[in-house]
Amino acid sequence: MAMTLEEAGGPLIHKVGNAKALGLSAPSDRHGQSVRTWVRSLDGVQKDAVTLSAATGEAWRFSSDEGAHLNGRDAAPNPLSFVAVGMVASFMNELMALAKQRGIALTDPQMTLENFYYRAGSFPRGTMVSSAMPPVVSLACGSDADDGRLAALLADAVAASPMTGLSNGSKVSLFNLVHNGKQIAVADVEALSIDPYDDPGTPLDGVTAADGADRLQPLCDKIAPESDMVERVKTNPPPAPVLPTGQHLLHLKSVCRILDNGVKEIVREQYKMPSSTWRFLSEEAPSAGGQGRAPDAASYMAAGLAFCFMTQLGRYAHMAKLPLNAYRVVQDMHFSLGGASGETGKRGDTDPVETHVYLDTGADDAVAQDLLRVAERTCFLHALCRDPVKVKTKLPHGTQAAA
């Protein structure tokens, strides 16, 4: 039987101290922030991952689970949580850097990110497609600037984030596929032009925490159970887009503020489909102006995207009754530096996601190809990369600008 997160024990997120000893190496740094992610399946829908940044040399371990509505045990945050945290943390990084550059004072800034996704079709029949809708970012704060300057500041900060470059509709993801130890051609997804990396196997078994990794623990913790959100949505549903019949909405809200110690605190709520509420901490590495006491924005984003893809692999295999015994991925993401925080003065950008997929099955190659095809089409976050979803920005009382 596969290991569970409960058996593994330890913090759900922690800095890794022995990535090099485990043979884990970062990708070449193309644009300023490149992150490699190793993910493996555990029991049920649970997964764990290690990210390693070429820019900072820092490695982080992340744990993921699903709630009861997806047959999980809710022992860790769901994949979309990590992506939402990475996005809003990156937007906040750019906001604070740009405000300093423009001489705009911000008091107690609170940034809210709402993410909307939807799905349509049948998962068991392999016809489901997931899509992303435009995220909405709003800002509440005290300031010496008027609403017009604040609206422009927020829009420019979002545009400067590499996370915005991920969602401009031109980043179709690339894949390799290794089935039962042998590389096979991919079908109905875009192929990587390089050979697969070595199968990651089980190096994550030996991951140990870095010295001082417990300084700010817990780096993520559950602050309200799924049942509370189910009841809250039932009695007081939040405003959300109305979709055509046959499309099913998924709605998350993440609120980011800066604590007195300089670390960003993000509280993530999920309304459609309701799930537990989680609190996260994020901080950039020393090379990017932080202290590295919590994961940086790019590492959160990379872990979440890989986790979501893995969830779709496992769900499709379960619902279609396919003999998927174990599955792993190695994923590379190449982000630009932030236009403000990295002082490039440019819009943020990201290369297409590159994923090496390793499937152990009791089926033929056609089944493995189908698993990959459906997982890519149903992954909300690969949809975020391929769908044109321009981020919207606004101030709480209505002033808007285009990001």
Side-chain angles (χ1 to χ4, degrees):
M1 184 176 177
M3 183 178 68
T4 68
L5 290 173
E6 295 89 339
E7 291 168 345
L12 296 176
I13 299 175
H14 66 77
K15 185 176 287 188
V16 174
N18 63 335
K20 185 175 181 180
L22 294 173
L24 304 181
S25 60
S28 58
D29 209 343
R30 294 179 188 169
H31 310 299
Q33 297 187 84
S34 292
V35 181
R36 181 164 291 161
T37 307
W38 295 261
V39 191
R40 62 176 176 175
S41 59
L42 300 176
D43 183 65
V45 293
Q46 293 185 342
K47 298 163 282 288
D48 68 349
V50 168
T51 63
L52 179 58
S53 168
T56 68
E58 293 189 340
W60 293 92
R61 177 184 178 264
F62 297 89
S63 308
S64 183
D65 198 357
E66 299 284 356
H69 64 287
L70 289 181
N71 298 315
R73 297 195 293 276
D74 207 21
N78 65 10
L80 293 177
S81 301
F82 297 98
V83 169
V85 169
M87 291 182 74
V88 75
S90 178
F91 296 156
M92 182 67 90
N93 290 340
E94 299 311 305
L95 178 81
M96 300 308 293
L98 196 58
K100 183 177 180 180
Q101 292 167 16
R102 295 182 179 180
I104 297 176
L106 302 178
T107 305
D108 298 325
Q110 179 173 289
M111 181 179 286
T112 299
L113 166 68
E114 290 191 82
N115 291 102
F116 305 96
Y117 307 92
Y118 68 91
R119 55 181 174 82
S122 168
F123 218 148
R125 291 195 293 270
T127 61
M128 182 178 287
V129 176
S130 295
S131 297
M133 301 172 68
V136 179
V137 181
S138 60
L139 174 66
C141 65
S143 179
D144 57 355
D146 62 25
D147 283 357
R149 288 188 74 198
L150 281 178
L153 174 72
L154 179 59
D156 291 346
V158 169
S161 166
M163 307 309 164
T164 302
L166 192 68
S167 60
N168 65 8
S170 63
K171 301 299 190 297
V172 177
S173 303
L174 308 173
F175 295 90
N176 273 327
L177 178 57
V178 176
H179 180 219
N180 292 337
K182 179 182 177 181
Q183 183 182 7
I184 63 172
V186 299
D188 299 315
V189 298
E190 293 296 318
L192 264 168
S193 60
I194 61 174
D195 292 335
Y197 298 149
D198 290 340
D199 188 328
T202 58
L204 302 192
D205 285 337
V207 166
T208 59
D211 293 340
D214 59 350
R215 281 187 293 171
L216 290 182
Q217 289 293 352
L219 298 178
C220 77
D221 58 321
K222 187 192 303 183
I223 59 176
E226 184 173 311
S227 57
D228 283 8
M229 186 57 71
V230 170
E231 187 61 31
R232 178 176 158 191
V233 170
K234 187 184 303 181
T235 58
N236 187 26
V242 177
L243 301 180
T245 301
Q247 294 183 0
H248 303 277
L249 181 70
L250 198 153
H251 178 195
L252 299 87
K253 183 173 83 170
S254 306
V255 179
C256 177
R257 66 187 185 98
I258 302 174
L259 302 177
D260 291 343
N261 61 4
V263 174
K264 291 179 286 295
E265 178 192 68
I266 299 107
V267 174
R268 193 281 294 154
E269 297 181 332
Q270 184 170 314
Y271 309 127
K272 291 267 192 177
M273 302 167 284
S275 74
S276 297
T277 299
W278 290 83
R279 170 186 173 270
F280 299 81
L281 299 180
S282 178
E283 185 178 42
E284 297 303 301
S287 60
Q291 298 183 41
R293 292 168 291 181
D296 59 289
S299 295
Y300 269 119
M301 169 62 80
L305 203 152
F307 277 146
C308 187
F309 176 74
M310 288 279 287
T311 290
Q312 305 316 312
L313 278 172
R315 287 189 68 207
Y316 177 50
H318 174 75
M319 297 181 76
K321 296 181 171 53
L322 299 174
L324 179 60
N325 302 321
Y327 46 110
R328 303 164 296 283
V329 303
V330 182
Q331 171 195 278
D332 285 349
M333 297 190 73
H334 299 278
F335 303 95
S336 70
L337 294 172
S341 64
E343 299 183 344
T344 69
K346 298 179 180 179
R347 292 180 66 90
D349 203 4
T350 306
D351 282 356
V353 181
E354 302 174 3
T355 306
H356 305 258
V357 182
Y358 309 84
L359 305 179
D360 301 336
T361 83
D364 61 22
D365 288 348
V367 168
Q369 291 169 327
D370 194 49
L371 280 162
L372 173 54
R373 175 189 67 83
V374 173
E376 190 277 336
R377 287 170 58 86
T378 57
C379 176
F380 292 110
L381 303 176
H382 283 287
L384 181 68
C385 301
R386 68 172 179 266
D387 294 349
V389 285
K390 190 176 183 66
V391 181
K392 299 177 181 179
T393 62
K394 65 179 184 178
L395 301 184
H397 43 285
T399 305
Q400 300 187 34

